[in-house]
Amino acid sequence: STDGGRNLSLDSIPMGLPMSDPTAWATAMNNLGMAPMGMTGQPLLPDFDPALGMMTGIPPINPMMPGLGIVPPPIPPDMPAVKEIIHCKSCTLFPPNPHLPPPATRERPPGCKTVFVGGLPENGTEQIIMEVFEQCGEVIAIRKSKKNFCHIRFAEEFMVDKALYLSGYRIRLGSSTDKKDTGRLHVDFAQARDDLYEWECKQRMLAREERHRRRLAEERFRPPSPPPVVHYSDHECSVVAEKLKDDTKFSEAIQTLLTWIERGEVNRRTANNFYSMIQSANSHIRRLVNEKAAHEKEMEEAKEKFKLALSGILVQFEQIVAVYHSASKQKAWDHFTKAQRKNISVWCKQAEEIRNIHNDELMGIRREEEMEMSDEEIEDPSEMKETEESALVSQVEALKEENDSLRWQLDAYRNEVELLKQEQGKATRDEDTTKEQQMKLLQQALQGMQKHLLKVQEEYKKREAELEKVKEDKLKIETLLENLKEQESSTSRVCACSQEKECPVDKMLSTSPVKSEREVLLVGIISTFLHVHPFGASIEYICSYLQRLDSKICTAEVEVLMTRLQNTFRQELSGVGASLEKRWKFCGFDGLKMT
């Protein structure tokens, strides 16, 4: 039969080793997955486990399985691989020398199912190649070249590993010894587009599955969406208005109100209802302020408790430190051993450090309280003016709010009037009289509101005029303060001049243009600066240089000093037209010749 021709029976296996070698025979039988038997029929390995013969997790191999003589199953890494002669129907495969190194292979491409087979006999056909390699697994395609190599594509990736087992074998067609009928097989990984495409498709499928699992996990841990907001109606409006007055349900109701306003539910018919709900939301601010005040009160009480507790702890620390100090005196200190003295001194240092830390903390709390008290007690007149201005501004803002509220009420009344006009045609004649009365009443109310509006606007204008007067008074006071400061400075200068006149040495100094040692220093620095700048420099540039040395120097003082020293400094105009600029130059050398 064909299976008998292809497969290898036990009698037809030509062993490369003599039968008298029991270890080689045991290795060959173990490669076949069978319990090794000796010549007498006794097992060579009494503890042999067929399930552990080739691969873990694979049942024991039957010696009659197809392809057993062609490609043995994988061998465990701890067992030396022994390759045998393989007989096929039309060719024979001889194993390579076991002492040679294993054949080199390239890096395995991702998803590789194609192998390169080189070293084929020149007379080899596709049928012979199929006969040899179909035992490794299902062959999808063979692409044979005119030269002695081909590419074989298998159905699965693990079949490539079986085909690589044949790398290094010598092949012989039939019993011929001709060169064209022999060759040495070289099997290696091949890079094929189809393999890469299938591998990428598989990776994309795995990525999709992973994204799907991740999405399911995110949806499982995602918080539930908030409940949908009900649509506006008169009944729901009344319910929300009641909830706005309840502290426990306020947050839910205010969210519903916000959603309705954003949806555009406010119109002429519903404007009054929405205004009342907004008013109740505004009244909730007072409750929040009271709640905040209660929390602040609790925080102050907690601070006081903490301060009292900290002071008690400090008292105890002082007592402990006093104990350590008394123990370190000579009366008691001489009776302790060296180790005890060392421990007592270390404990004393630690206690003093902790006490100092707590004492600093308590002093910091007291300083903060004193700062707060001092900030409350000290009130400058400028702050009083600012408080008055802020009070006026707050009054103006309150009037603006009243004005806006009155306008909203007017709009609401107008809306009601328009609604009444629309409903007027539908009502009967009897109802017309009552509606006319209502219209008259509404018109009277409108007139009253308009009068009140005019009064409010007049008050608003008066308040603005008062605000402007206050601002003008403030400016006048500021100018008066500046004048007073200037008068004080002038009087101080006059006093200084009078004192200088009294002493004779000062008389001599007053005749010279330089009046003090400071001015002498300034003259020297300015002369050095202008000597470096031969084309001159503006007064601002000179003052910016001097202010780096002393920030109290002003431009007026420097300019007056330089104008007094006409033989040392000279002012010139440079530039044309709009770019005219006054520059000071150093002329001390020329002035020395003149004098």
Side-chain angles (χ1 to χ4, degrees), residues 40-75:
T40 59
Q42 297 297 326
L44 293 175
L45 300 174
D47 299 331
F48 177 76
D49 186 3
L52 300 175
M54 299 302 116
M55 294 178 65
T56 307
I58 297 177
I61 299 173
N62 188 357
M64 301 305 293
M65 288 173 63
L68 187 60
I70 300 298
V71 180
I75 299 167

Side-chain angles (χ1 to χ4, degrees), residues 498-508:
S498 64
Q499 289 176 1
E500 287 175 357
K501 287 177 181 178
E502 289 175 2
C503 55
V505 178
D506 293 341
K507 286 180 182 179
M508 295 295 292

Side-chain angles (χ1 to χ4, degrees), residues 126-145:
E126 286 190 10
Q127 292 178 355
I128 295 171
I129 296 168
M130 180 68 77
E131 182 183 345
V132 173
F133 286 95
E134 72 180 351
Q135 304 304 323
C136 302
E138 183 184 353
V139 177
I140 294 176
I142 296 175
R143 293 191 296 274
K144 189 175 181 304
S145 176

Side-chain angles (χ1 to χ4, degrees), residues 5-6 69-70 86-93 128 131-132 135:
R6 286 183 182 176
I70 300 298
I86 300 169
H87 292 275
C88 298
K89 190 175 180 181
S90 56
C91 63
T92 308
L93 299 175
I128 295 171
E131 182 183 345
V132 173
Q135 304 304 323

Side-chain angles (χ1 to χ4, degrees), residues 153-291:
R153 189 162 190 262
F154 292 98
E156 299 294 337
E157 292 184 29
F158 68 90
M159 299 174 183
V160 174
D161 299 321
K162 293 182 179 181
L164 286 175
Y165 181 81
L166 298 176
S167 185
Y169 269 80
R170 287 182 290 108
I171 184 171
R172 187 177 69 186
L173 304 181
S175 59
S176 174
T177 57
D178 190 7
K179 283 188 177 182
K180 293 184 178 181
D181 295 332
T182 59
R184 183 180 293 275
L185 297 180
H186 174 68
V187 185
D188 196 358
F189 300 111
Q191 193 166 5
R193 294 179 184 174
D194 296 339
D195 298 343
L196 183 62
Y197 176 73
E198 288 182 4
W199 180 78
E200 288 176 349
C201 291
K202 188 177 180 181
Q203 294 300 315
R204 283 196 290 270
M205 183 184 70
L206 293 173
R208 283 196 297 271
E209 291 177 358
E210 180 64 25
R211 284 198 300 272
H212 181 65
R213 282 195 297 271
R214 198 178 299 142
R215 195 180 301 115
L216 290 176
E218 288 176 358
E219 288 176 358
R220 194 181 301 116
F221 293 109
R222 186 181 297 160
S225 58
V229 179
V230 296
H231 291 283
Y232 176 81
S233 65
D234 292 337
H235 172 68
E236 294 294 336
C237 179
S238 61
V239 170
V240 170
E242 291 298 325
K243 285 183 179 178
L244 285 170
K245 296 173 184 176
D246 190 358
D247 291 341
T248 58
K249 301 177 181 178
F250 178 80
S251 59
E252 179 186 354
I254 198 72
Q255 188 63 35
T256 306
L257 177 61
L258 176 63
T259 308
W260 283 349
I261 293 172
E262 288 178 350
R263 283 181 183 172
E265 299 288 348
V266 182
N267 52 33
R268 290 181 178 178
R269 184 183 292 276
T270 60
N272 291 332
N273 295 332
F274 274 99
Y275 179 74
S276 63
M277 286 191 286
I278 293 168
Q279 200 170 9
S280 58
N282 186 33
S283 64
H284 188 72
I285 295 172
R286 296 175 187 170
R287 287 177 283 182
L288 293 175
V289 170
N290 294 332
E291 188 176 352

